[in-house]
Amino acid sequence: MYKIRELEIKDFRGFRHRTLSFPDADIVLVTGGNGFGKSSFFDAIEWGLTGSLRRYAASNQERKTETILKNNYSKQTGYIRLLLESGDTERIEFSRKIKKKQGNDFNPGELQGLTQQELENALVREEYRNRYDFTRIFNFSHLLSQELIDEFVRGFKATDRYSVLSQLIGIQDYVQYKDKIQLLEREVQREKERLKASAASLQKDMEKYLALVKKEFDVVEGVEERYQELMRRSASLLEEDLPAQLQGDSAGQMLDAKEKFYSRLSDASAELERRTQILTQNQDQVTTLLAALPQYEERKSQYQVALEEVDKWGNLLKLTSKLETVESVLQDFTAYQDAEENRLLYQSIKRKRETLLEQLTFCERSEIAFMHKLQKLIEWTGDPALCALWNRRAELEQKFERISTQIEAFNAMELRRKNIELEIIQTAYQFFAEHLTVEQCPVCKGKVEPEKLLEELRQRLDDEGEETCGLTPLLEEKNSLLKQIEEITAEARPYITRLQVQFTSELEEIASEEKELEQNIERLTKVMNNLDDLNLHPADCTIAEVKSKLEIMRAGLMQTEAGTLTREMIMQRIKESEAQAALLKKQMYHFEAECNEFGIMEISENMLLTSLDVIRAELATQRSKLSQLATIREELAKIIAFLKNSFHMAQFQQNEQKYLENQAKLAQLETLRTTLDQLSDRVPDLVNEMTQEILDHYKKTVNEFYQLLNPQPFFTRLDWEVNQSSQNNGTLVLKSLSEDGKYQMNPSFTFSAAQVNLIALSFFLSFAVQQQWSKLGSIFMDDPVQNMDDINIFAFVDVIRGLCLNSHLDKQIFISTHDRKFVQFMLKKFRMLKVFVLDYKGFGEDGPVIEERLYSPRSILMTE
Amino acid sequence: MINQHFAIRQLQLDLLPEDQELGRLISGIFYNSFAIFVVKVIRAAECADLRQWSTTLESFVSGYIQNDAAILDRLGDRDVIWDIYLVFLVEGPIPVEVKVELENDRFYCKKIILPYHPGQTLEEQLYQMIIFQQFTDVALRESDYLGKGEFLSKLLQNVEDEALRTFVQKNDLLTLEKPQLLARFKKAFKISAGDQHVQD
């Protein structure tokens, strides 16, 4: 934030020449008696920064003749020089020289060092520059002059108050949009009036031309009647309804109807032309068909011949095939002769092979019982050695069976003995378990020892078992028999192997014989099939008869062309005849297809002639219609040309076109005017809405300051109403409310001077503390405590001190007062702040006598 | 966050034996970097005696703080006598005339009469009510000002004519002089000197 570091005042207002340097103090107190130049000090700052003094701006008449800025005792041109610094890096230095224009010096003077724009750019943050006029709002945003304190609540009209505040929030300038938009609206309205006048004139001329056109119609006798007649004729000709009449009687509409009708007739004519053209083509086509009819008929007979040829050669091909079959049968006839014998032999061999295979397989099967296998082999071979083996083995098996039965009986007996023995021991155990207390045998009176008795019992039972056993000799005999049986089996095995070799050898011998017989049978089957084809059935006759019949058949066939022509030659002839027939069929098909197009299915000269007559009759009708239509169109074209060529009609049409354009433009302008009207109405409302919205943000802070300054014990809250009904500007009416909001009044008419000053102070401090748009951090208050009582002054000082102690604020506060006691009080209250005092001791021709004092902050309260 | 200048602490005074009874009547004495707050809670039953209490405690301030060099030296700055606040926290309704009368009496020290909140400590009540406190809460609000863009956007929100929207949104519209403005407008909306109709 920029703060004032140096102020040089030269021949300005009450000053002659003084340079004041301001250290980095929180507060600058300007004190001195009335008339010593305190206000000139603030004037110097205001004029230096803005080029204007608000308090004299309204005095239009007087300021024209009075010297306002220049020091009256000086003959030199005065100036103000200001040095502003922001931190250690940014600084602005410039001077403003008083300049006399048109007999007075109340003007912005001459800025040196930078331009007014550059100065404002330096003091207004970039993002706010298009909305804030530093010069206009400096007074209230930074400077609270005595006049403003006096006027804000009571002196200002509600509109002025609204204006000052809306300028402070930077949107007042937007009201100008209303003027600009209204200017545009008026221009649109003017253009509309001009177009309306033009439209009226065009309409008048159109009426005139229409009357003239109608008159011309009357002069050319019967034009309209003739047109009606043409319409009727064409409707009848085209077999259509009459076209609908267009509504209205303007010449343009009349001509338009006729042109549309002409266009319709042109379309109909084109359609007729097309149909005539088709009919002509049909006529030519049928005529050509008539001429080509003989050729078609000749082709038809040629086609029949070709088909017959194909049949003939086809039959010959069949004979050739038959001859080939006969030849084949005769060639293989020997096979046929041997057929029966071969078949029997083949079946015998086949059976033998099956038997051998069965025997061989039997020998190889291991699962078959030995005795059964041996028995079968004996059956097949009758070998006595095998018989002897079989007998020996049968005898052994009987013995073995008997011994096995005896062993099983012994085993069953042993099992029963074991069970009885187990039962006796269990009973003995049970006895001892139930009579453990028995110590003395009731029989022998001896001492009872159960374990010993049980062991004795077990021993006796075992001994008895051994006495009944006689199994061993039986088992030994059984084993001896088994051994003998195995020896017999081993003895028989070489016999079986030998038989297997024998069977295999026999199988190989008959295999080649069987194959030869199979081939013979195959050839025979083929011969039999051929005989079947030749319709010869060997079952019905002997072999000799068959052969005789075949010989006769061959002789017959050899006498035909089949005997002389080869199969390939016949195939070639068939192919040629088929190709000839296909070509003729194709040529005939084209002719037939063309006839079919005309509905002729059965082609004859009569049919073609009848069709030609029909086409000719229709063609004549169409040509007649076409000719009549051409006449009608010609006449209609003349009527249209007449109407078009009419001068008045042309004039009318031109005017009509312009009139339509005029009306369209008028409609467009009316829309534009309506929109502009709505916009211009919206501007003040919108500015008011936005102003109210923004001002509402300030209500809290204004009330905070107001309550701190505490001017009224009962009406402790401030409020305001922004009136949006005004079109040019809003009004801001202040309200003072009781704590509970039940009571309210307008402070402008009820509050004392000190109280209204406190309201102005509340507003000023609220905006000055919160403003973000300006980079100037200096706040100037010229005699802010005028009229205030002690308690308000006390509160004001506390507020200022609170502001300075608030570490967020970076402000340089200038306060002026004539009251030295107030200064002393402030010095005591601001003892923890850095305070710079400009003490105006007196005033003379050399200007004010000023003493500068700097008070450093004293240490703050101790801690215990 | 309390500004360091405003942070308050309790102050213990060494009273003479004969004055200790008076001292006990005071609810609490506090100080911050620049002021002393003598606090007295006035119960509902004592409201009628508020004036009397003011006189009594005013004497206490005068006798034991403002005129006791030892205390003032302990406080570090004798000018603190200009910054002594006698705060009455009153339980029950406060008659407006009594409040006005007492708060306008700044003899010896400034008096402040505030409603008593039983749920809060004396320090908390001072933090909420002392006049300086509110500045610590002034978080400088970022300017909520609405810009020109916002203004034009709201102004033109129902305008469908794109040409008109473009025209009004021109940056220099407000600065254009009337002839330039109208010339530009006529050009944009094809407003000419007028079409002459066909004359006979």
Side-chain angles (χ1 to χ4, degrees):
Chain A
M1 289 290 228
Y2 281 111
K3 291 171 184 172
I4 294 177
R5 288 283 169 260
E6 209 167 278
L7 170 66
E8 183 183 355
I9 310 172
K10 174 79 169 66
D11 294 325
F12 178 86
R13 305 282 293 160
F15 282 85
R16 293 301 301 273
H17 192 194
R18 180 79 193 218
T19 300
L20 298 165
S21 296
F22 301 94
D24 187 17
D26 301 301
I27 306 234
V28 177
L29 295 179
V30 183
T31 181
N34 288 333
F36 281 12
K38 297 189 298 299
S39 293
S40 291
F41 170 79
F42 288 108
D43 287 344
I45 290 171
E46 184 183 359
W47 189 73
L49 288 169
T50 68
S52 179
L53 292 177
R54 187 181 184 281
R55 56 183 172 141
Y56 300 121
S59 317
N60 288 332
Q61 288 305 319
E62 287 180 62
R63 80 175 185 219
K64 282 182 181 172
T65 53
E66 293 290 331
T67 299
I68 295 176
L69 303 179
K70 188 177 158 294
N71 183 281
N72 285 327
Y73 300 105
S74 171
K75 289 180 181 174
Q76 290 181 317
T77 309
Y79 64 85
I80 301 295
R81 183 178 64 80
L82 273 161
L83 169 63
L84 280 66
E85 282 180 359
S86 175
D88 296 330
T89 51
E90 293 180 71
R91 56 183 276 149
I92 311 167
E93 186 170 7
F94 61 94
S95 60
R96 193 185 288 276
K97 199 173 167 185
I98 297 170
K99 208 168 181 182
K100 198 163 185 176
K101 285 181 188 172
Q102 297 171 346
N104 74 82
D105 60 0
F106 191 75
N107 57 55
E110 185 184 341
L111 207 54
Q112 291 174 335
L114 35 74
T115 64
Q116 183 65 33
Q117 190 60 49
E118 286 169 340
L119 177 60
E120 292 205 7
N121 286 349
L123 296 176
V124 180
R125 292 183 200 282
E126 192 175 354
E127 60 268 34
Y128 298 99
R129 276 178 201 156
N130 61 347
R131 295 191 281 131
Y132 283 88
D133 184 342
F134 181 84
T135 305
R136 277 171 63 186
I137 59 177
F138 172 77
N139 217 300
F140 208 86
S141 70
H142 291 81
L143 170 64
L144 185 66
S145 64
Q146 290 179 26
E147 288 76 11
L148 198 57
I149 294 172
D150 290 340
E151 291 170 0
F152 182 73
V153 178
R154 194 166 287 154
F156 275 12
K157 291 178 194 165
T159 49
D160 296 338
R161 202 177 297 120
Y162 176 89
S163 175
V164 167
L165 293 185
S166 59
Q167 279 171 21
L168 275 174
I169 57 176
I171 64 166
Q172 184 56 30
D173 281 354
Y174 297 161
V175 175
Q176 292 176 59
Y177 274 103
K178 183 179 175 70
D179 301 335
K180 299 286 181 184
I181 291 169
Q182 279 180 335
L183 193 64
L184 303 179
E185 193 185 343
R186 283 196 293 277
E187 187 58 29
V188 171
Q189 190 58 35
R190 265 197 295 279
E191 178 70 0
K192 266 184 69 188
E193 294 304 326
R194 195 189 60 70
L195 283 173
K196 274 183 186 169
S198 176
S201 173
L202 282 166
Q203 226 167 358
K204 201 172 164 189
D205 286 348
M206 280 162 64
E207 283 166 12
K208 182 177 79 183
Y209 290 125
L210 187 63
L212 289 170
V213 168
K214 282 186 174 173
K215 199 173 170 187
E216 280 183 11
F217 266 51
D218 294 339
V219 171
V220 182
E221 195 177 334
V223 165
E224 194 58 26
E225 286 73 13
R226 187 62 193 151
Y227 167 67
Q228 295 293 335
E229 174 58 22
L230 289 177
M231 283 214 300
R232 276 193 294 279
R233 269 178 60 199
S234 59
S236 160
L237 198 63
L238 299 171
E239 296 168 0
E240 289 176 350
D241 293 335
L242 279 171
Q245 287 282 0
L246 287 178
Q247 293 299 312
D249 61 352
S250 82
Q253 286 167 336
M254 285 153 65
L255 179 60
D256 192 35
K258 288 173 180 58
E259 283 186 323
K260 279 184 178 162
F261 182 54
Y262 184 81
S263 170
R264 167 74 194 95
L265 287 186
S266 298
D267 292 345
S269 185
E271 176 60 19
L272 276 176
E273 285 276 11
R274 196 181 64 77
R275 280 161 64 186
T276 306
Q277 207 171 353
I278 291 168
L279 284 169
T280 309
Q281 284 170 359
N282 288 350
Q283 180 182 263
D284 294 348
Q285 214 171 338
V286 174
T287 308
T288 311
L289 286 172
L290 260 175
L293 187 60
Q295 193 186 10
Y296 167 74
E297 283 175 344
E298 190 186 339
R299 280 176 180 157
K300 199 172 176 184
S301 64
Q302 283 172 351
Y303 177 68
Q304 287 303 328
V305 171
L307 286 182
E308 283 165 12
E309 281 286 300
V310 171
D311 281 350
K312 183 185 124 188
W313 291 111
N315 289 333
L316 192 59
L317 188 64
K318 282 178 192 166
L319 285 177
T320 306
S321 298
K322 193 172 179 181
L323 183 58
E324 283 168 0
T325 309
V326 170
E327 292 285 5
S328 165
V329 171
L330 282 172
Q331 203 175 344
D332 287 336
F333 204 74
T334 318
Y336 176 68
Q337 280 179 319
D338 300 338
E340 203 58 32
E341 193 182 337
N342 281 342
R343 190 175 293 122
L344 292 171
L345 186 60
Y346 178 72
Q347 282 168 358
S348 159
I349 286 172
K350 201 173 174 183
R351 271 198 302 278
K352 189 176 178 184
R353 188 172 68 88
E354 283 166 0
T355 307
L356 282 168
L357 271 174
E358 188 188 350
Q359 289 170 341
L360 191 61
T361 310
F362 185 82
C363 289
E364 286 169 351
R365 283 168 64 185
S366 58
E367 81 276 9
I368 296 170
F370 178 78
M371 288 300 279
H372 178 60
K373 196 179 260 184
L374 212 55
Q375 195 172 10
K376 273 281 181 191
L377 288 174
I378 291 165
E379 275 175 27
W380 290 337
T381 60
D383 192 332
L386 283 177
C387 279
L389 283 173
W390 191 87
N391 289 333
R392 273 170 62 200
R393 166 120 181 202
E395 193 182 341
L396 287 170
E397 279 187 357
Q398 278 176 2
K399 280 184 185 174
F400 184 82
E401 190 68 29
R402 201 165 51 245
I403 297 289
S404 295
T405 310
Q406 284 175 1
I407 290 167
E408 277 174 17
F410 270 113
N411 283 341
M413 197 189 300
E414 178 66 10
L415 184 65
R416 277 200 303 279
R417 191 187 65 77
K418 289 274 182 195
N419 286 338
I420 290 165
E421 189 181 314
L422 185 66
E423 198 174 338
I424 289 168
I425 290 170
Q426 281 177 343
T427 308
Y429 267 113
Q430 195 174 354
F431 174 81
F432 286 121
E434 287 171 2
H435 300 87
L436 278 176
T437 54
V438 176
E439 290 181 352
Q440 197 171 28
C441 174
V443 182
C444 65
K445 304 297 180 189
K447 190 182 178 185
V448 178
E449 292 178 36
E451 291 298 327
K452 196 174 174 184
L453 286 171
L454 280 172
E455 184 56 34
E456 195 176 333
L457 179 62
R458 198 174 286 123
Q459 188 61 47
R460 276 191 198 176
L461 288 170
D462 286 349
D463 294 348
E464 200 165 328
E466 280 172 12
E467 282 170 18
T468 58
C469 185
L471 188 61
T472 312
L474 287 174
L475 286 171
E476 282 169 0
E477 193 177 352
K478 188 182 176 186
N479 286 340
S480 166
L481 283 171
L482 268 176
K483 202 173 173 185
Q484 287 175 52
I485 286 170
E486 278 171 11
E487 280 169 6
I488 289 171
T489 306
E491 205 174 327
R493 198 163 288 131
Y495 285 98
I496 295 170
T497 308
R498 198 166 56 244
L499 280 173
Q500 278 178 325
V501 171
Q502 186 189 327
F503 292 150
T504 308
S505 168
E506 283 178 25
L507 264 175
E508 281 170 1
E509 277 172 24
I510 65 168
S512 62
E513 198 176 344
E514 191 183 22
K515 194 172 180 184
E516 191 181 336
L517 282 169
E518 265 179 0
Q519 284 172 355
N520 284 342
I521 287 166
E522 197 178 328
R523 280 169 62 199
L524 176 64
T525 308
K526 193 175 170 189
V527 170
M528 291 301 280
N529 287 340
N530 282 337
L531 285 174
D532 227 21
D533 291 347
L534 293 169
N535 214 14
L536 288 174
H537 305 292
D540 301 339
C541 48
T542 64
I543 292 171
E545 282 171 347
V546 170
K547 188 171 184 185
S548 168
K549 281 184 183 176
L550 283 169
E551 294 287 357
I552 293 165
M553 210 177 274
R554 179 167 68 178
L557 287 169
M558 287 301 282
Q559 283 173 1
T560 66
E561 279 180 293
T564 56
L565 295 174
T566 63
R567 168 178 279 271
E568 285 73 28
M569 288 163 75
I570 296 167
M571 289 294 287
Q572 181 62 29
R573 297 283 164 78
I574 290 173
K575 211 179 274 179
E576 285 169 7
S577 299
E578 280 177 347
Q580 175 69 11
L583 178 67
L584 288 165
K585 182 71 185 167
K586 195 175 172 185
Q587 289 169 344
M588 284 159 61
Y589 174 76
H590 286 144
F591 187 85
E592 285 163 359
E594 283 185 50
C595 290
N596 289 347
E597 280 181 23
F598 295 101
I600 302 167
M601 298 301 166
E602 288 178 14
I603 298 164
S604 69
E605 190 176 2
N606 277 345
M607 290 300 287
L608 282 169
L609 285 170
T610 308
S611 176
L612 191 59
D613 287 345
V614 171
I615 292 169
R616 278 176 180 156
E618 199 180 340
L619 191 58
T621 310
Q622 294 297 328
R623 279 180 178 154
S624 164
K625 277 187 180 179
L626 201 57
S627 165
Q628 289 179 57
L629 205 57
T631 312
I632 293 170
R633 283 173 64 211
E634 198 178 330
E635 201 170 340
L636 190 59
K638 281 179 186 168
I639 291 172
I640 290 168
F642 164 74
L643 290 174
K644 274 189 172 176
N645 290 334
S646 162
F647 172 75
H648 291 126
M649 172 59 86
Q651 295 295 92
F652 175 84
Q653 283 175 337
Q654 276 184 20
N655 274 336
E656 191 177 45
Q657 181 63 31
K658 287 200 175 296
Y659 179 76
L660 291 174
E661 285 169 8
N662 176 299
Q663 291 302 301
K665 187 75 183 171
L666 261 175
Q668 186 193 344
L669 286 175
E670 177 53 25
T671 309
L672 183 61
R673 192 203 63 75
T674 309
T675 311
L676 287 169
D677 189 39
Q678 288 166 351
L679 281 183
S680 71
D681 284 351
R682 175 88 177 112
V683 168
D685 292 345
L686 189 56
V687 170
N688 285 335
E689 277 172 31
M690 288 172 72
T691 302
Q692 186 160 5
E693 192 181 333
I694 297 166
L695 285 177
D696 280 349
H697 287 293
Y698 284 94
K699 265 186 189 168
K700 183 171 179 285
T701 327
V702 169
N703 267 291
E704 282 170 5
F705 281 109
Y706 181 67
Q707 281 154 20
L708 291 173
L709 295 173
N710 192 24
Q712 225 287 341
F714 188 72
F715 290 98
T716 53
R717 283 166 52 202
L718 268 184
D719 199 358
W720 56 78
E721 267 179 15
V722 174
N723 182 359
Q724 299 180 15
S725 63
S726 168
Q727 285 296 305
N728 294 316
N729 205 342
T731 57
L732 190 138
V733 179
L734 289 169
K735 288 192 291 186
S736 185
L737 304 173
S738 60
E739 183 63 36
D740 55 8
K742 277 185 185 173
Y743 303 98
Q744 69 172 52
M745 63 173 179
N746 187 332
S748 304
F749 307 115
T750 47
F751 271 16
S752 69
Q755 285 170 321
V756 295
N757 288 358
L758 288 167
I759 292 177
L761 259 177
S762 301
F763 273 89
F764 174 76
L765 288 173
S766 173
F767 283 93
V769 165
Q770 291 194 93
Q771 72 85 7
Q772 298 287 310
W773 60 270
S774 172
K775 288 196 274 185
L776 182 61
S778 303
I779 298 173
F780 310 93
M781 287 178 275
D782 187 9
D783 205 0
V785 298
Q786 54 183 310
N787 304 322
M788 285 187 193
D789 62 12
D790 289 351
I791 202 74
N792 292 141
I793 289 170
F794 204 110
F796 172 77
V797 172
D798 277 346
V799 167
I800 298 298
R801 182 170 67 176
L803 280 176
C804 291
L805 289 175
N806 190 318
S807 57
H808 298 294
L809 295 169
D810 182 20
K811 303 287 184 191
Q812 179 188 36
I813 301 175
F814 288 76
I815 301 169
S816 77
T817 179
H818 63 279
D819 187 345
R820 292 192 182 279
K821 281 194 287 181
F822 176 45
V823 171
Q824 290 307 311
F825 179 64
M826 282 194 285
L827 285 172
K828 291 184 191 304
K829 293 285 273 189
F830 296 155
R831 63 193 181 280
M832 68 294 296
L833 303 171
K834 196 171 183 180
V835 183
F836 184 62
V837 178
L838 293 177
D839 193 352
Y840 284 61
K841 295 287 188 187
F843 187 82
E845 283 190 13
D846 292 334
V849 179
I850 304 172
E851 185 181 302
E852 298 174 20
R853 292 194 300 275
L854 177 66
Y855 292 85
S856 299
R858 279 183 267 168
S859 57
I860 58 172
L861 277 182
M862 79 323 144
T863 54
E864 300 241 13
Chain B
M1 189 73 181
I2 301 295
N3 186 309
Q4 57 164 340
H5 294 295
F6 302 137
I8 54 175
R9 274 157 263 165
Q10 196 149 16
L11 182 68
Q12 297 295 336
L13 293 181
D14 297 325
L15 298 174
L16 294 171
E18 61 269 30
D19 295 319
Q20 281 175 356
E21 192 181 343
L22 180 63
R24 277 194 289 275
L25 297 175
I26 296 165
S27 307
I29 302 176
F30 301 88
Y31 71 97
N32 66 7
S33 71
F34 51 85
I36 293 170
F37 306 92
V38 177
V39 182
K40 170 64 185 168
V41 176
I42 302 289
R43 301 290 170 187
E46 301 169 313
C47 276
D49 303 328
L50 194 54
R51 285 193 185 86
Q52 184 56 47
W53 274 112
S54 178
T55 308
T56 305
L57 294 179
E58 193 179 65
S59 302
F60 172 79
V61 169
S62 162
Y64 280 93
I65 301 175
Q66 292 176 327
N67 287 307
D68 189 328
I71 289 177
L72 293 177
D73 288 342
R74 226 179 88 203
L75 292 173
D77 188 338
R78 290 193 175 195
D79 278 346
V80 78
I81 60 168
W82 296 95
D83 275 306
I84 297 174
Y85 295 80
L86 185 51
V87 183
F88 292 103
L89 300 173
V90 181
E91 189 180 59
I94 308 166
V96 174
E97 62 278 12
V98 179
K99 181 174 164 69
V100 172
E101 180 189 326
L102 293 184
E103 289 192 341
N104 277 284
D105 170 18
R106 66 177 186 89
F107 202 73
Y108 295 123
C109 61
K110 186 165 167 61
K111 288 93 183 167
I112 298 174
I113 298 174
L114 299 163
Y116 175 65
H117 298 285
Q120 295 175 342
T121 64
L122 296 180
E123 287 95 327
E124 283 170 343
Q125 295 192 58
L126 286 175
Y127 274 134
Q128 286 185 14
M129 295 178 285
I130 57 175
I131 54 173
F132 315 107
Q133 176 56 34
Q134 296 189 47
F135 290 105
T136 66
D137 293 336
V138 175
L140 291 180
R141 289 180 277 271
E142 263 307 313
S143 178
D144 238 337
Y145 301 161
L146 306 173
K148 190 175 181 180
E150 178 97 19
F151 175 81
L152 289 176
S153 168
K154 283 184 174 180
L155 182 67
L156 298 170
Q157 63 184 357
N158 294 321
V159 176
E160 289 174 1
D161 187 337
E162 199 52 45
L164 184 60
R165 291 176 67 87
T166 309
F167 189 83
V168 176
Q169 282 173 328
K170 294 275 185 196
N171 281 338
D172 58 352
L173 192 78
L174 291 185
T175 54
L176 281 177
E177 293 298 323
K178 183 179 171 183
Q180 285 83 23
L181 177 70
L182 291 182
R184 196 188 279 183
F185 181 67
K186 284 179 176 178
K187 191 178 173 190
F189 291 89
K190 297 187 177 71
I191 296 173
S192 62
D195 299 313
Q196 291 301 312
H197 63 270
V198 178
Q199 291 295 331
D200 203 348

